[in-house]
Amino acid sequence: MSAIDSVPVTVPVATTSADDLVTAFLTAGRRHRRFRAVAGRVAIAVALVLGTWYALPPLGVVERVFLPAPHDVLGRLIELVQTASLWENARATASVALWGYAVAIAIGLTSGVLLGTVPFLGRALAPYLGALQALPKVVFAPLLITWLGFGNESKVATAAIVAMLPIVIDTMVGLQSCSDDAVKLLRSYRTSRWRTFWLLRVPASLPLVFVGLRQALLLSLAGTLLAEALIGSSEGLGHLVELYNGQILMDRAYAVVVVVACIALVVSVLLAWLERRIIYWRGHELT
Amino acid sequence: MRMLLRRATRPHVVAAALVLPLAVLAWIGATRAELVAPILLPELGDVLDRLWSLFAEGTIRPHLVRTASSVLLGFAIGAVAGIVVAAALTSADRVSQRTYSTMLASLEAVPIVVIAPILNTLFGFGMSSKVAAASVSAFFPVFVTAFAGLSLVSADELKLMRSLRASRLQVMVKLRLPAALPAIFGGLRIAIAFSLVATVIAEFVGTDRGLGYLMLRFRGAYDTASMWAIILVFAGLGAIAFVVLQVAERRVVHWRR
């Protein structure tokens, strides 16, 4: 077993579901009957969740103040969506998350390519990458805030640090994933290293690189929200949740959580769709 | 023995062994030459000093115990729930399987950061809200991998079990579960990391005890050396969890390799 094998490849957890959703959308129109069956199941699940939600406070499990009724949350959500302040906060969060994402991609792709194309480096650092995976990156957030202050810099840095590692590892493993036979074949044609890299390694790595990129975007969003909450920031969706939660305006807090959930879901579905367009050969393996 | 020696002297193994001392040297050199702000990276000696005194004076003990028990309890609850729900779902019809697994897995996109404050309000600032956060984040990776693993069995295998008049429970315990174990362990490894992250986040958001709380207290004092000491403790916790799971996996999935 080489050292590389001991690095657990980041498993595409959240991404598989986004993939399924894309499939569902793409095939929904064609298969009405199946769609109806699925819709029925969804309705059952929603009814079950809503039923429990309504039932809990009267049963005395939680107090109504802490768990407002679903229709109240929905009402607040509709109100909230129409206010400018929600979108300003969403914009603030999105801009920090995207900056963090950009930094994570710049550093992550560069080091991933380096580790993936220089086998010696990759093997020497693999155990440390595994160790870094086990370390919760969020613990760096307070340190970064102490260093960079309470502005946007520390938020961007937190987002980048939280998001970076999957890109590094998936790029590295992806670049190593093409078969030895394919490499030998190209070498027998005297293909230059450079051309081998672009013609073989890069296309072979893309599916895994995309998994890393998708994970990283969600992580960058999470890192941003955390930094906003930790800093006591005056803007951003993370700040909004903290604010409403602190004032026990739970219906509003839940409404913001729904907004964040929708954003995260839309982002991951969008990336899944983009991935299908770019990696059109997936399922018909190249190597 | 000879093979071991040959393996140990392979260049990349040597290089891997050299990385840590080099990193330590770089840390010492950078702080001595004042290349980095001491507020970001204090001297290694100071960090180790703080680490030592944190343990020697017993300051860290209640916090370490609280964090570790929150993580473990949350991990256990989330993992069991993930496996049970996945097992229940595999005995449902196909459409339900696809629909519900997609719905459940989609929930994973919701960042725990926004849920943690609400859990604090619901369950109070004590340990239970941290356990809740940890188990929520542990649930999803275990559910997804367990569901995929439990569905791995072939139609032939199922037919064979049925021809032997195996009960549903027997099919689950003797056929599906063993087939799923490697995948489940993959999920558990992610889940323990997730529950550690979730616990820390929940502690950051509000608590009176735990390593996350301790870290914020040191931040208030601009004591970066102590903050680095706690980061090292977290690294240790992560490493221990990783190794324990690795050993458990080798024990349980002994027929593999």
Side-chain angles (χ1 to χ4, degrees):
Chain A
M1 192 168 103
S2 81
I4 301 296
D5 301 330
S6 63
V7 177
V9 177
T10 43
V11 175
V13 181
T15 50
T16 46
S17 63
D19 227 29
D20 283 350
L21 282 185
V22 172
T23 312
F25 280 125
L26 290 180
T27 56
R30 263 177 268 152
R31 302 179 182 176
H32 274 292
R33 250 170 62 210
R34 225 195 99 124
F35 185 71
R36 260 187 17 220
V38 171
R41 261 70 169 192
V42 172
I44 294 173
V46 171
L48 211 65
V49 170
L50 287 183
T52 325
W53 191 342
Y54 274 115
L56 282 180
L59 290 173
V61 185
V62 280
E63 299 207 27
R64 176 59 79 204
V65 196
F66 296 139
L67 194 67
H71 61 262
D72 287 338
V73 175
L74 190 66
R76 285 291 177 204
L77 182 64
I78 293 168
E79 265 177 50
L80 209 63
V81 172
Q82 289 162 347
T83 60
S85 103
L86 176 82
W87 299 111
E88 273 161 32
N89 283 304
R91 201 196 50 76
T93 300
S95 113
V96 171
L98 287 177
W99 273 110
Y101 189 48
V103 174
I105 289 179
I107 303 179
L109 272 187
T110 316
S111 40
V113 168
L114 205 65
L115 292 172
T117 46
V118 188
F120 179 74
L121 268 185
R123 279 196 211 132
L125 290 178
Y128 297 97
L129 289 177
L132 272 182
Q133 255 188 334
L135 175 73
K137 263 70 64 186
V138 288
V139 298
F140 286 106
L143 197 69
L144 292 170
I145 294 166
T146 314
W147 179 42
L148 293 169
F150 294 84
N152 274 338
E153 293 90 344
S154 53
K155 292 186 213 163
V156 171
T158 304
I161 279 211
V162 169
M164 197 177 307
L165 199 62
I167 304 183
V168 178
I169 292 180
D170 287 346
T171 309
M172 175 182 106
V173 178
L175 285 171
Q176 294 162 342
S177 69
C178 54
S179 75
D180 286 343
D181 286 346
V183 176
K184 268 187 205 154
L185 177 69
L186 284 191
R187 199 175 295 155
S188 74
Y189 285 119
R190 295 190 180 230
T191 318
S192 71
R193 274 176 167 246
W194 185 245
R195 277 176 66 86
T196 310
F197 178 75
W198 283 111
L199 287 178
L200 179 64
R201 290 194 194 274
V202 169
S205 75
L206 280 183
L208 204 55
V209 170
F210 256 94
V211 170
L213 288 178
R214 270 154 78 176
Q215 269 185 333
L217 187 49
L218 290 179
L219 284 173
S220 157
L221 178 64
T224 306
L225 294 166
L226 174 71
E228 284 168 355
L230 263 185
I231 289 176
S233 159
S234 56
E235 54 177 12
L237 294 173
H239 149 73
L240 224 50
V241 175
E242 279 277 280
L243 180 76
Y244 292 143
N245 185 58
Q247 299 171 341
I248 322 275
L249 296 170
M250 296 314 282
D251 45 356
R252 293 180 198 213
Y254 284 108
V256 180
V257 171
V258 171
V259 171
V260 172
C262 288
I263 292 175
L265 205 59
V266 166
V267 162
S268 68
V269 169
L270 217 62
L271 281 183
W273 176 79
L274 201 68
E275 183 181 333
R276 281 189 186 219
R277 303 309 306 266
I278 295 177
I279 311 172
Y280 54 86
W281 64 84
R282 207 178 60 171
H284 320 266
E285 282 322 318
L286 189 74
T287 48
Chain B
M1 186 64 205
R2 215 182 190 171
M3 235 184 73
L4 234 126
L5 200 69
R6 203 184 307 151
R7 194 179 260 191
T9 50
R10 270 194 219 154
H12 70 261
V13 178
V14 177
L18 282 178
V19 170
L20 196 61
L22 278 179
V24 168
L25 277 181
W27 185 338
I28 294 173
T31 45
R32 283 280 155 81
E34 291 176 6
L35 287 177
V36 280
I39 193 99
L40 175 67
L41 193 68
E43 285 201 28
L44 183 60
D46 288 349
V47 174
L48 294 180
D49 261 5
R50 298 296 158 82
L51 187 63
W52 173 251
S53 62
L54 273 176
F55 278 96
E57 291 163 16
T59 330
I60 203 172
R61 203 166 163 266
H63 303 288
L64 186 59
V65 170
R66 166 64 75 82
T67 299
S69 39
S70 306
V71 172
L72 285 182
L73 204 57
F75 169 71
I77 295 172
V80 170
I83 294 172
V84 168
V85 172
L89 199 55
T90 45
S91 48
D93 61 290
R94 277 204 95 84
V95 186
S96 301
Q97 282 188 19
R98 271 195 81 83
T99 314
Y100 293 136
S101 65
T102 306
M103 284 178 82
L104 274 174
S106 312
L107 284 179
E108 214 223 342
V110 186
I112 193 76
V113 190
V114 291
I115 305 173
I118 288 177
L119 291 176
N120 268 343
T121 313
L122 283 177
F123 294 97
F125 279 121
M127 187 171 147
S128 41
S129 54
K130 280 73 206 170
V131 174
S135 47
V136 167
S137 352
F139 171 82
F140 292 106
V142 177
F143 166 75
V144 171
T145 51
F147 182 67
L150 289 169
S151 323
L152 273 179
V153 293
S154 68
D156 283 347
E157 288 168 322
L158 277 177
K159 255 188 217 159
L160 176 65
M161 290 297 274
R162 213 166 293 147
S163 72
L164 294 169
R165 296 195 172 213
S167 69
R168 274 193 164 186
L169 188 71
Q170 282 173 320
V171 172
M172 184 56 72
V173 174
K174 303 213 157 148
L175 178 62
R176 285 189 191 273
L177 206 56
L181 275 177
I184 290 178
F185 266 102
L188 290 179
R189 223 178 294 163
I190 305 171
I192 190 88
F194 276 20
S195 43
L196 186 55
V197 173
T199 306
V200 177
I201 288 176
E203 286 176 355
F204 277 163
V205 173
T207 183
D208 53 353
R209 201 181 287 176
L211 292 176
Y213 162 78
L214 199 59
M215 187 123 191
L216 289 191
R217 221 174 65 186
F218 288 133
R219 189 193 95 191
Y222 290 91
D223 184 356
T224 34
S226 297
M227 288 162 78
W228 270 103
I230 294 180
I231 290 179
L232 291 184
V233 173
F234 273 118
L237 280 181
I240 291 171
F242 185 80
V243 170
V244 167
L245 271 179
Q246 194 103 329
V247 171
E249 181 173 1
R250 289 229 175 116
R251 279 276 164 101
V252 177
V253 199
H254 52 80
W255 60 87
R256 237 182 157 207
R257 56 177 283 132

